[in-house]
Every structure is written in structure tokens, then in C-alpha cells.
């Protein structure tokens, strides 16, 4: 039997290159949604009626700590300068040899009226040192409401009043918020900042618009012991990827609102080299590939720079060059300005805008590289990622391989 396959005939005078140009413009649809989502979130946040300063229940600020972060004392001290009537600061370190202990001792000396406690411990049974420490902290905290924050976060005096207030609504099960990198006036920090605002937060606000907040950000998570206990708490996450994202997801799955606030505590990224930034971003995108595989794959439609360059390669005419690159730059600048300047009140955004194409090229490269990785490095430990996002420590003899 003879089978004849006829060539594809496009209607009218439409050329294959024209169809490719239409396909290459899909990222602009994402950019439009991101721009609208950012505008809607910021406008809604400013008009939202929140509970006033009268809602100030007792709070436990809990922090897992390992080693000394850059400017660790000032980060901790900012939590002791809160305009809030009743709260404690509880820190968990692995053992009495941790170099951060002298910093905490100075903190307790300088703020004698604050309740500052240190507990020791982390379970060897879990792969995640952070989640293990948070399980200890949850049990040790004196108060029902927990403010879970990374050790390298520095905050303003109105921090607790701002982030605790939404819990007055019983429908709210958790609160999280955006954060800003500290400006150390180095290229790597400028590069990191423009990436967070234009890329990470644009994606977060688009997710907020399309699907609601079903995640939390590790810089700040506000919830209660009761909400954590409903899914087994941090003890249930000791062998899982991205405990902060999972806490928000598990609380949202139980029908509670996870409220995202535009409040931006300063988070010191502490990147001393491009390699550190590369390692962290690659770890993060690899985690996303295992936690949200279809969402990770869908990032192909957010790579506006790559698709614009491909469109120009397919049809290198003046209208295509100016049309694609002009539209790409206009959207990226608008999104970055809207989030960084209007939403987060960050200074110095304009001088960082030329870094946008460089960041987008970098982000595209690490997205492609993430398809080749099934292991992640955290501190000094390498982990293999199993099915379901389970973490398995890699034996030291096998550690050099990072496939």
C-alpha cells in the first residue's frame, strides 16, 4: 500500500516564518498579564482595609540559625526594635559550638528588656536542617502566633504590626510578604535586585492573579501553631524540598487564605561572587522543576528575550527587529518600574534597568540547565531529589557529581 504525505499548505499567503513570529510573540502575552497583575496587586493592597494597631496578640518570632550571616547582629537587632507590645525572639542553633552564639549573647546584653531565647537541636533523621530546627522552634515557642523568618532578614519597627494584622480575619491562615535585597553597591547585588523584581516577583504576582497565593516566601511566614499542626508541622517536611513554599501550599489546601503583602523587609542576600548567585538560582529553579513540573516547563513562554532573538534570526527585517526588541524592552521596563518603584518603593531602579537583558539571558540559561540536574547543594551538603520531592543526602564520596 502506497501512503502519500502531502506537504503542508498554509491558507492564503501565510509563510511558515509568519507563523513562527506569531508563536514567538507569546511571551508578550505573559508580560501583559504580569503587568496587569502587578498593577492590580499594588492598587488592591493600598486600598485594602486592614486591622489597625489594636490587633496585637502575643507573638513568637522564630529563626533557624546556622553560622554567621553578613551583618548578623544588625539583622537580629532589628527584631528587637519592634513597635509591638508583647513578643519574644527564639533562635535555634545546631550546637554550642556555632560561631553565631557570641552575636546572640551580645544581642541579649544590648536588649535586656526583650525576651530572647536560644535553643539547641536538630534531628539527624531529617535531610533538611532548617525544617528540623523549625520543628523544635514551633514546640518551644510560648505563643500561638508564629513569625517564621530567615536569619538574614532585617526589618523596620512597624514589621510585626504590619504582618500580624491580617490574622485578625479567621479566614486567613498564613501571611507572607515580598522582600528587597540590601544595596551593597556591587554589580552582583544590583544584578540580583533587578532579577528579583523583574523576574521572581513578576511571576509571583502573576500567580497571585491567576491562581491565588498557594505558597509562602521564607523571608517571612506568619501563621499559628494550630495551622501548622493540621498538616503535621515542620516535622512532616524534614525530608521535603522547599519547606517555605510547602507551608503555604498545605495551609491553602485546607481552605485558608494565604495573604501576600507588599511589605518589604530588607533581606541581605550576601552574594560575594557570581558563582554564589548562580548556585542559588540554579538550586531554586531545580527545586521548582520537581515541585511544579508543568509550571516549570511553561517558563518557555516567559523567555521574551530568547524568542525575540529567534524571531529576528528567522526574519531579520527592520520592522521585526524594532517590533520585537522594542516591545520586549517596553514590557520589561514597565514591569520592573511598576513593582520596584511604585509597589516596593525601591530607589536606584532606573540605573539598573540596563541589566534587564543580561538578567533575562542568565535566567534562560539556568532554566535550560535545570533540566539536567537531579541534585541540589545546600550549605555543605549535597542532596539527591527523589520522586515526590524527597531529599536524600548524598554520601561524601559521591558528592563531586552534580548531575
Amino acid at each position: 500500500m502506497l501512503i502519500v504525505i502531502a506537504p503542508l499548505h498554509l491558507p492564503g499567503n501565510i509563510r511558515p516564518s509568519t507563523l513562527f513570529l506569531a508563536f514567538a510573540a507569546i511571551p508578550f502575552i505573559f508580560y501583559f498579564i504580569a503587568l496587569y497583575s502587578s498593577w492590580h496587586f499594588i492598587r488592591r493592597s493600598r486600598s485594602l482595609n486592614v486591622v489597625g494597631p489594636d490587633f496585637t496578640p502575643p507573638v513568637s518570632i522564630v529563626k533557624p540559625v546556622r553560622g554567621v550571616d553578613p551583618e548578623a547582629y544588625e539583622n537580629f537587632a532589628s527584631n528587637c526594635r519592634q513597635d509591638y507590645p508583647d513578643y519574644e525572639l527564639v533562635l535555634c542553633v545546631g550546637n554550642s559550638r556555632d560561631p553565631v552564639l557570641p552575636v546572640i549573647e551580645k544581642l541579649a546584653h544590648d536588649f535586656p528588656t526583650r525576651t530572647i531565647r536560644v535553643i539547641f537541636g536538630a534531628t539527624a533523621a531529617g535531610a533538611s536542617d532548617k525544617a528540623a530546627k523549625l520543628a523544635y522552634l514551633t514546640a518551644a515557642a510560648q505563643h500561638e502566633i508564629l513569625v517564621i523568618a530567615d536569619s538574614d532578614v532585617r526589618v523596620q519597627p512597624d514589621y510585626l504590626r504590619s504582618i500580624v494584622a491580617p490574622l485578625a480575619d479567621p479566614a486567613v491562615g498564613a501571611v507572607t510578604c515580598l522582600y528587597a535585597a540590601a544595596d551593597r553597591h556591587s554589580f552582583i547585588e544590583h544584578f540580583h535586585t533587578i532579577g528579583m523584581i523583574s523576574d521572581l516577583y513578576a511571576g509571583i504576582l502573576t500567580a497571585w492573579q491567576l491562581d491565588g497565593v498557594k505558597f509562602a516566601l521564607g523571608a517571612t511566614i506568619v501563621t499559628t501553631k494550630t495551622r501548622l499542626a493540621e498538616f503535621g508541622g515542620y516535622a512532616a517536611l524534614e525530608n521535603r524540598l522547599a519547606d517555605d513554599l510547602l507551608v503555604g501550599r498545605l495551609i491553602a489546601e485546607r481552605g485558608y487564605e494565604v495573604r501576600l503583602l507588599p511589605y518589604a523587609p530588607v533581606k541581605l542576600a550576601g552574594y560575594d561572587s557570581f558563582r554564589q548567585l548562580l548556585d542559588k538560582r540554579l538550586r531554586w529553579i531545580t527545586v521548582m522543576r520537581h515541585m511544579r513540573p508543568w509550571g516549570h516547563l511553561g517558563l518557555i513562554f516567559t523567555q521574551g528575550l530568547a524568542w525575540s532573538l529567534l524571531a529576528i534570526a528567522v526574519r531579520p527585517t527592520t520592522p521585526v527587529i524594532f517590533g520585537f526588541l522594542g516591545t520586549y524592552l517596553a514590557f520589561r521596563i514597565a514591569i520592573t518600574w511598576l513593582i520596584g518603584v511604585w509597589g516596593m518603593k525601591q530607589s536606584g531602579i532606573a540605573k539598573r534597568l540596563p541589566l534587564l537583558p543580561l538578567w533575562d539571558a542568565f535566567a534562560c540559561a539556568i532554566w535550560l540547565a535545570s533540566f539536567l540536574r537531579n541534585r541540589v547543594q545546600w550549605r555543605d551538603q549535597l542532596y539527591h531529589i527523589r520522586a515526590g520531592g524527597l531529599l536524600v543526602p548524598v554520601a561524601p564520596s559521591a558528592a563531586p557529581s552534580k548531575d
Side-chain angles (χ1 to χ4, degrees):
M1 180 174 62
L2 177 65
I3 300 177
V4 178
I5 301 178
L8 176 65
H9 293 286
L10 297 175
N13 295 321
I14 298 178
R15 294 183 291 173
S17 61
T18 301
L19 287 181
F20 182 85
L21 294 182
F23 193 81
I26 291 177
F28 298 151
I29 300 174
F30 166 76
Y31 288 159
F32 176 82
I33 296 172
L35 187 64
Y36 171 78
S37 301
S38 302
W39 172 81
H40 187 202
F41 172 80
I42 296 167
R43 183 172 177 270
R44 179 179 179 274
S45 297
R46 292 183 175 180
S47 63
L48 187 65
N49 292 324
V50 298
V51 177
D54 291 336
F55 185 74
T56 54
V59 168
S60 294
I61 304 175
V62 298
K63 290 180 178 288
V65 183
R66 183 179 178 183
V68 182
D69 295 312
E71 303 182 37
Y73 176 82
E74 282 303 320
N75 297 339
F76 292 149
S78 68
N79 292 271
C80 299
R81 302 186 181 111
Q82 291 300 298
D83 177 23
Y84 201 85
D86 187 6
Y87 70 96
E88 65 170 350
L89 175 62
V90 192
L91 305 105
C92 181
V93 298
N95 55 61
S96 59
R97 300 182 301 277
D98 196 300
V100 78
L101 286 176
V103 179
I104 299 174
E105 290 171 358
K106 174 175 171 53
L107 188 75
H109 177 270
D110 293 348
F111 296 92
T113 62
R114 292 299 183 198
T115 302
I116 302 172
R117 294 191 290 131
V118 178
I119 63 174
F120 298 94
T123 175
S128 173
D129 174 74
K130 176 186 173 184
K133 286 174 178 173
L134 285 169
Y136 276 91
L137 286 164
T138 301
Q142 293 181 351
H143 304 305
E144 168 69 6
I145 295 180
L146 305 177
V147 174
I148 303 159
D150 289 343
S151 60
D152 59 349
V153 168
R154 185 178 303 180
V155 296
Q156 300 299 319
D158 65 343
Y159 173 65
L160 285 181
R161 288 187 182 270
S162 301
I163 62 175
V164 172
L167 288 186
D169 183 350
V172 177
V175 180
T176 193
C177 61
L178 304 180
Y179 55 89
D183 191 351
R184 295 183 177 176
H185 305 290
S186 67
F187 170 79
I188 195 64
E189 292 297 344
H190 290 324
F191 191 55
H192 174 236
T193 296
I194 206 70
M196 283 203 313
I197 293 173
S198 68
D199 187 5
L200 177 62
Y201 293 158
I204 286 174
L205 297 182
T206 302
W208 169 83
Q209 177 69 39
L210 298 179
D211 195 35
V213 180
K214 298 178 181 177
F215 52 84
L217 303 175
T220 293
I221 302 173
V222 188
T223 189
T224 65
K225 290 186 176 184
T226 301
R227 298 287 85 82
L228 293 176
E230 289 176 356
F231 63 81
Y234 280 96
L237 306 179
E238 289 184 15
N239 292 301
R240 300 291 301 278
L241 285 167
D243 55 87
D244 46 0
L245 298 178
L246 279 175
V247 165
R249 176 187 295 181
L250 292 170
I251 290 175
E253 286 177 351
R254 281 155 180 79
Y256 299 101
E257 177 188 354
V258 178
R259 184 166 296 178
L260 178 64
L261 301 180
Y263 184 90
V266 174
K267 180 180 176 67
L268 300 180
Y271 295 120
D272 298 321
S273 67
F274 181 79
R275 179 58 185 268
Q276 289 182 349
L277 177 61
L278 174 63
D279 288 345
K280 183 169 183 178
R281 290 294 301 186
L282 189 53
R283 182 178 70 241
W284 181 82
I285 198 68
T286 301
V287 167
M288 291 301 100
R289 182 169 70 87
H290 287 82
M291 291 190 65
R292 300 183 60 193
W294 288 110
H296 175 271
L297 185 61
L299 291 177
I300 191 174
F301 298 114
T302 69
Q303 309 294 338
L305 177 62
W307 283 108
S308 294
L309 295 178
L310 287 173
I312 293 169
V314 168
R315 189 181 292 179
T317 62
T318 299
V320 170
I321 293 172
F322 282 93
F324 270 84
L325 288 183
T327 303
Y328 158 76
L329 288 172
F331 268 123
R332 298 299 282 139
I333 291 171
I335 291 169
T336 305
W337 183 90
L338 190 66
I339 297 174
V341 178
W342 191 49
M344 300 179 66
K345 306 295 184 182
Q346 298 297 294
S347 61
I349 297 297
K351 65 182 180 182
R352 298 169 182 167
L353 290 176
L355 295 175
L356 277 171
L358 183 61
W359 174 269
D360 285 346
F362 169 73
C364 183
I366 61 173
W367 173 71
L368 292 172
S370 69
F371 287 97
L372 305 176
R373 294 176 65 94
N374 290 309
R375 297 181 182 181
V376 292
Q377 182 87 28
W378 176 249
R379 301 274 184 171
D380 54 357
Q381 178 62 55
L382 187 64
Y383 298 97
H384 190 85
I385 306 173
R386 300 292 188 187
L390 294 177
L391 292 176
V392 179
V394 176
S397 61
S401 174
K402 293 186 179 181
D403 57 338

